[in-house]
Amino acid sequence: MNSFNGSTVSVELECSRPQDVFSIEIVRHINCTTKSCSGHIIQTDFSSIDVLRFNRTFTWNLTAAAPKAFQIDFTNTGLKQISPSEKCPDRHTYTLQAFQSTGNVAVGKYCRSGTISSAQILKSGSFSVDVPAEQKLQNDKFNVTVGEKIKSLARISLTLPKGISSSELLSPDYPESFPDDDIMEWYFQVPDKHRVDVQFLNLTQPDCVKKEAAVEYHQKGRVTSVLGLMDAQPLQNQGDFLLTLRNCEMERAPADSPGLTFTLKVSITLLSCKVDLSKTEGLSLNISTLAPTPDCVMKINSVKKDNITITSSADLSFEDCFPDNMEVTAKQVIDCSSGKCPDPVSLSVPLLPSCLPAPLSRVTWILRPGRHGTVKLISPTGPLKQSLPGQLCDDSVTIDVAEENGATIGTFCPDGAIQTVQIHTSVSVTWWSSMNAKAPRSAVLNASFENEITERYIFTVFPKRDTPELVATPAWPAGMKAYSTVSWIVSVPPKMEAQLIFTKLSQPKCSNRHTNIRVQRMGSPEEDYSRREDEVANSELTVSESFYLNMSNCLPERGNFSVITKISLQKSKDLLLIKILSVVAALLVIFVMVLVVVCVVIRKKKKKLSHEVSVYNPNGINFLPGYNGPPKTHEDDDAHVYTSIDDTLVYTHLLKKGADIGIYGETYQPFMGHTDSQKPLLSSQKGPPLPNRSPSQDQTLMDQSEDEQPSNLGPRLEPEGGN
């Protein structure tokens, strides 16, 4: 591994999991003179992955030149003191120690983000940060400078914020006793027009041998106040002050003496708080205590009140009223019954002064449309989701929607699929926030006032492809109001279909009319699904297009009507079938084409392999099958025109047969020459001798010649001298 000075150090550990046995500590040294210090606290971690497997402690040992202290500046981040058993959210725990001749004193354990702005330690001490295994050290820097001349072991400086807040500090070495006969200081920077209340909580008193444990208040231009720890501590309302704690010389026996331990609670409030609501029409503010507290005194325009309601402007003051027991709420009425109101209306969290005793926890808007009008709600930051089992909202921010008379519609929060909500009556919208949540910069909702709708409630839903959406009947699980109706207009993207699953269905026994669950595709004249309370309902349903989901209640005799519907998108099965059939059809076409090609190739091969047979044509043309057309005629080629022909070459077998039966003579006079209408058959040159055949063979050939003569050649010519 690489060390801080650039050298490389190799360590070999002979065990399977050394990180369970060993930890790593990195120590640096910073020395200060009376004028300057040799360096600053710079947080950097090792790049080695092997090192990250171990718990690590980064320590800076610091020394100062007497009589001055060294000072560490935390202004950029701020620190907050915690008890030794607590852990920090970012897993970075800081520790500050003072080195004394009697031993080391733990000044405190801290986390980032707090009111502590700096620390000074006399003579020498250390500052360290502990980081657990697999946690990368955050890069940071704390400046180290020469401090003041102090006589205490340490001085912690705090910068208190404006408004109302509180901080807790612990005695050094807590939960062990404060060091014997020692001094500790806390310096508080207080903003203008604020006052500070100091309380010692969980106090254990030491057994003193000499002197008494005491606390001193030092303020510029004022006399120092010295009080016992059990005394009522004075309110500090004159700016910055220094609180000094002096311990006595304690009795060292018995050994189980608790010594001096305490929790120092510092609360800051405004001397006065001015609130002006006159610029926002219909807005009011209410301030109250969560539990009765006699010490908390609230005044409006110098008049003491148990609860304060502000409708315009007022001067407020609070004494001993702490944020954890205070509630601040706002309410705004937007009445459009006269037809005069802005449209749309932005429902925004009002900006209030920081001097209030607690942050704003709830805002309610009352929306009153005109006669038979409708309130339409849209979230400017994206679709909403309904808080339901399996789809719960984060507790930091929620939106309750109800009718003005208190009838619940539902609880909603961001990151859902509900685009719009329409309610055919006056509406109450309440924004809730936890103590740590910040008020949104944009509007919570946008509201518009529209004409009458056919249902009591209408929701527009655009489900997400990969996330099922749960929607429930208004007032779930209590059940819908009698005779009320609700519709969800669900948009289904192309090539998709919606699967509906009805869960947690509760049906009443109706005394008048019936409950009904209906599903109908947009543009379709017929319903896809319809069930009453006295019919068996399907638990699942698939819809291939955008559709309406409508539910209506009866007048229940007993029980209630409520249901949660799960809407999921999936690829259309019809589309999948079409794709499969298309693929099969394409394969079939390819198969047929290949088959045709194969057949043609095979036919050509067979044609080439067939025997070539000479064909006799009485018109005077001889040609072989397979050639490109017949040979040229005598009009094309005069070389094949003959002047005479020896008939014996053609009719020899006939003459021979005729001779055998006494019809022909020994010789046959050949035809000399030809007319224009006749064509030569063979050349006049003597042909080759006939093969020797038996009479039966000759008769067979004759029969074949007579049977095979084509009909289109005309009647067969008989030789002269025949019958």
Side-chain angles (χ1 to χ4, degrees):
M1 67 181 71
N2 294 326
S3 65
F4 280 114
N5 58 14
S7 61
T8 301
V9 178
S10 297
V11 179
E12 185 175 349
L13 302 173
E14 296 182 353
C15 53
S16 59
R17 289 185 57 83
Q19 61 268 33
D20 296 339
V21 181
F22 299 95
S23 62
I24 297 176
E25 183 177 6
I26 301 96
V27 181
R28 296 191 68 185
H29 297 274
I30 299 175
N31 298 317
C32 296
T33 65
T34 56
K35 295 183 179 180
S36 64
C37 297
S38 60
H40 301 290
I41 296 173
I42 301 176
Q43 294 182 178
T44 55
D45 208 342
F46 292 99
S47 58
S48 172
I49 299 177
D50 293 331
V51 175
L52 293 178
R53 297 173 181 169
F54 293 83
N55 295 329
R56 303 178 310 287
T57 301
F58 299 84
T59 301
W60 291 264
N61 290 331
L62 304 102
T63 58
K68 292 188 177 182
F70 65 82
Q71 177 174 292
I72 306 174
D73 186 8
F74 308 117
T75 305
N76 293 335
T77 59
L79 295 182
K80 173 186 177 182
Q81 188 168 6
I82 61 173
S83 68
S85 60
E86 288 185 83
K87 295 182 179 180
C88 297
D90 61 358
R91 306 177 74 190
H92 284 57
T93 305
Y94 298 90
T95 302
L96 190 62
Q97 292 192 84
F99 300 158
Q100 297 197 120
S101 57
T102 55
N104 297 344
V105 178
V107 178
K109 185 178 178 181
Y110 308 91
C111 297
R112 294 164 64 95
S113 301
T115 57
I116 298 175
S117 55
S118 67
Q120 298 184 66
I121 294 180
L122 186 64
K123 295 182 181 179
S124 63
S126 69
F127 179 76
S128 62
V129 55
D130 292 294
V131 183
E134 309 299 337
Q135 176 72 43
K136 184 77 173 178
L137 176 66
Q138 295 179 3
N139 294 330
D140 214 335
K141 178 181 178 180
F142 302 108
N143 291 332
V144 179
T145 58
V146 177
E148 304 174 53
K149 294 180 181 180
I150 62 173
K151 296 181 180 180
S152 58
L153 67 90
R155 177 183 291 179
I156 304 297
S157 296
L158 296 90
T159 301
L160 303 180
K162 295 181 179 180
I164 299 177
S165 63
S166 62
S167 303
E168 289 188 355
L169 304 166
L170 300 172
S171 55
D173 262 346
Y174 187 89
E176 302 298 324
S177 175
F178 186 89
D180 185 64
D181 196 20
D182 214 333
I183 303 172
M184 178 70 189
E185 294 179 320
W186 291 272
Y187 181 74
F188 298 94
Q189 292 178 306
V190 183
D192 293 341
K193 299 180 181 179
H194 286 69
R195 66 182 182 189
V196 177
D197 180 27
V198 177
Q199 294 175 291
F200 287 93
L201 306 177
N202 305 321
L203 176 64
T204 61
Q205 289 277 28
D207 294 330
C208 295
V209 175
K210 294 181 180 179
K211 300 183 289 186
E212 293 291 334
V215 60
E216 301 175 1
Y217 292 90
H218 302 269
Q219 280 186 302
K220 187 176 181 179
R222 299 190 65 185
V223 177
T224 301
S225 300
V226 181
L227 300 170
L229 300 181
M230 297 295 291
D231 296 338
Q233 305 302 310
L235 291 172
Q236 304 299 313
N237 53 15
Q238 299 296 322
D240 304 345
F241 66 97
L242 177 68
L243 187 151
T244 302
L245 177 68
R246 296 180 182 272
N247 196 9
C248 63
E249 184 178 334
M250 297 185 295
E251 177 66 49
R252 300 187 181 278
D256 60 351
S257 176
L260 177 59
T261 62
F262 58 84
T263 299
L264 182 64
K265 184 174 183 178
V266 181
S267 303
I268 181 171
T269 58
L270 272 168
L271 293 175
S272 63
C273 181
K274 185 174 182 62
V275 178
D276 187 3
L277 306 179
S278 59
K279 296 181 180 179
T280 306
E281 185 178 355
L283 179 64
S284 62
L285 193 67
N286 183 266
I287 304 171
S288 61
T289 57
L290 297 175
T293 304
D295 295 336
C296 176
V297 178
M298 298 187 295
K299 295 181 180 180
I300 177 171
N301 298 327
S302 301
V303 178
K304 183 179 177 180
K305 295 283 187 179
D306 293 332
N307 290 287
I308 293 178
T309 300
I310 309 163
T311 56
S312 56
S313 60
D315 289 322
L316 310 176
S317 64
F318 306 94
E319 297 179 9
D320 298 327
C321 300
F322 302 110
D324 54 358
N325 192 43
M326 302 297 295
E327 183 182 53
V328 180
T329 62
K331 180 179 179 181
Q332 185 179 9
V333 178
I334 303 173
D335 193 345
C336 294
S337 58
S338 61
K340 296 180 180 179
C341 61
D343 193 14
V345 179
S346 294
L347 307 184
S348 302
V349 176
L351 296 177
L352 301 176
S354 61
C355 58
L356 295 174
L360 186 63
S361 61
R362 185 174 76 249
V363 184
T364 300
W365 294 272
I366 304 298
L367 306 172
R368 295 171 181 162
R371 182 178 176 83
H372 304 303
T374 299
V375 177
K376 182 178 181 180
L377 302 175
I378 301 176
S379 172
T381 58
L384 302 172
K385 69 178 179 183
Q386 190 170 358
S387 185
L388 296 167
Q391 185 180 272
L392 296 177
C393 289
D394 187 347
D395 291 336
S396 60
V397 174
T398 57
I399 303 170
D400 286 346
V401 180
E403 298 184 16
E404 186 181 2
N405 60 12
T408 302
I409 297 174
T411 299
F412 304 89
C413 57
D415 194 24
I418 300 175
Q419 294 277 6
T420 63
V421 181
Q422 297 180 71
I423 305 102
H424 186 207
T425 186
S426 296
V427 179
S428 168
V429 177
T430 302
W431 172 84
W432 294 82
S433 172
S434 65
M435 292 291 289
N436 297 325
K438 295 182 178 179
R441 295 182 179 180
S442 61
V444 175
L445 293 174
N446 288 332
S448 59
F449 300 92
E450 301 186 351
N451 296 329
E452 183 178 7
I453 58 176
T454 56
E455 315 291 345
R456 185 75 171 183
Y457 319 99
I458 295 180
F459 297 84
T460 304
V461 183
F462 286 76
K464 299 178 182 178
R465 293 176 183 261
D466 301 325
T467 306
E469 187 73 14
L470 299 179
V471 295
T473 49
W476 188 93
M480 293 176 62
K481 292 177 61 176
Y483 300 129
S484 63
T485 59
V486 58
S487 287
W488 291 269
I489 303 175
V490 183
S491 178
V492 179
K495 302 179 182 179
M496 303 289 287
E497 62 184 14
Q499 183 187 45
L500 306 183
I501 299 178
F502 302 111
T503 64
K504 302 184 183 300
L505 175 59
S506 173
Q507 292 278 18
K509 181 179 180 181
C510 296
S511 62
N512 189 22
R513 298 187 188 176
H514 296 278
T515 67
N516 208 326
I517 301 176
R518 292 186 294 270
V519 176
Q520 185 173 347
R521 285 172 294 169
M522 293 184 184
S524 174
E526 298 180 356
E527 295 177 344
D528 294 87
Y529 177 84
S530 180
R531 290 294 186 277
R532 305 188 321 187
E533 84 284 352
D534 54 359
E535 297 175 328
V536 178
N538 295 352
S539 59
E540 294 187 17
L541 181 67
T542 300
V543 188
S544 59
E545 302 173 11
S546 299
F547 62 94
Y548 303 98
L549 171 61
N550 178 272
M551 299 185 188
S552 57
N553 196 11
C554 62
L555 178 62
E557 179 180 327
R558 64 174 181 269
N560 58 65
F561 178 50
S562 63
V563 61
I564 292 178
T565 306
K566 181 179 180 180
I567 305 174
S568 305
L569 291 182
Q570 58 189 14
K571 289 186 178 180
S572 175
K573 294 181 180 179
D574 292 340
L575 178 64
L576 181 61
L577 180 61
I578 291 173
K579 288 183 177 179
I580 294 174
L581 294 177
S582 299
V583 171
V584 172
L587 292 175
L588 185 60
V589 170
I590 293 173
F591 174 75
V592 171
M593 293 175 64
V594 171
L595 185 61
V596 170
V597 171
V598 170
C599 291
V600 170
V601 171
I602 292 175
R603 185 176 180 182
K604 285 185 177 181
K605 286 184 177 180
K606 286 184 177 181
K607 193 170 184 180
K608 288 182 179 180
L609 293 175
S610 63
H611 297 288
E612 295 180 351
V613 180
S614 177
V615 178
Y616 166 73
N617 190 332
N619 293 326
I621 300 173
N622 293 327
F623 63 92
L624 296 176
Y627 285 21
N628 292 330
K632 295 180 180 180
T633 62
H634 73 280
E635 289 89 350
D636 301 322
D637 190 357
D638 292 339
H640 294 279
V641 177
Y642 302 97
T643 58
S644 62
I645 181 172
D646 190 354
D647 292 333
T648 59
L649 294 177
V650 179
Y651 300 105
T652 301
H653 63 289
L654 299 176
L655 294 175
K656 184 177 180 180
K657 183 178 180 182
D660 291 339
I661 60 176
I663 298 176
Y664 303 114
E666 293 297 325
T667 60
Y668 176 77
Q669 296 299 322
F671 174 76
M672 302 300 293
H674 66 276
T675 64
D676 293 339
S677 62
Q678 293 177 318
K679 295 181 180 179
L681 297 177
L682 292 173
S683 67
S684 60
Q685 186 177 357
K686 185 176 181 179
L690 292 172
N692 295 324
R693 295 187 183 93
S694 63
S696 62
Q697 289 176 323
D698 291 338
Q699 183 63 39
T700 302
L701 291 174
M702 279 291 296
D703 296 339
Q704 290 178 351
S705 176
E706 292 174 359
D707 295 339
E708 294 175 359
Q709 182 174 358
S711 60
N712 60 353
L713 296 180
R716 184 178 56 169
L717 295 176
E718 296 293 339
E720 293 181 0
N723 293 333

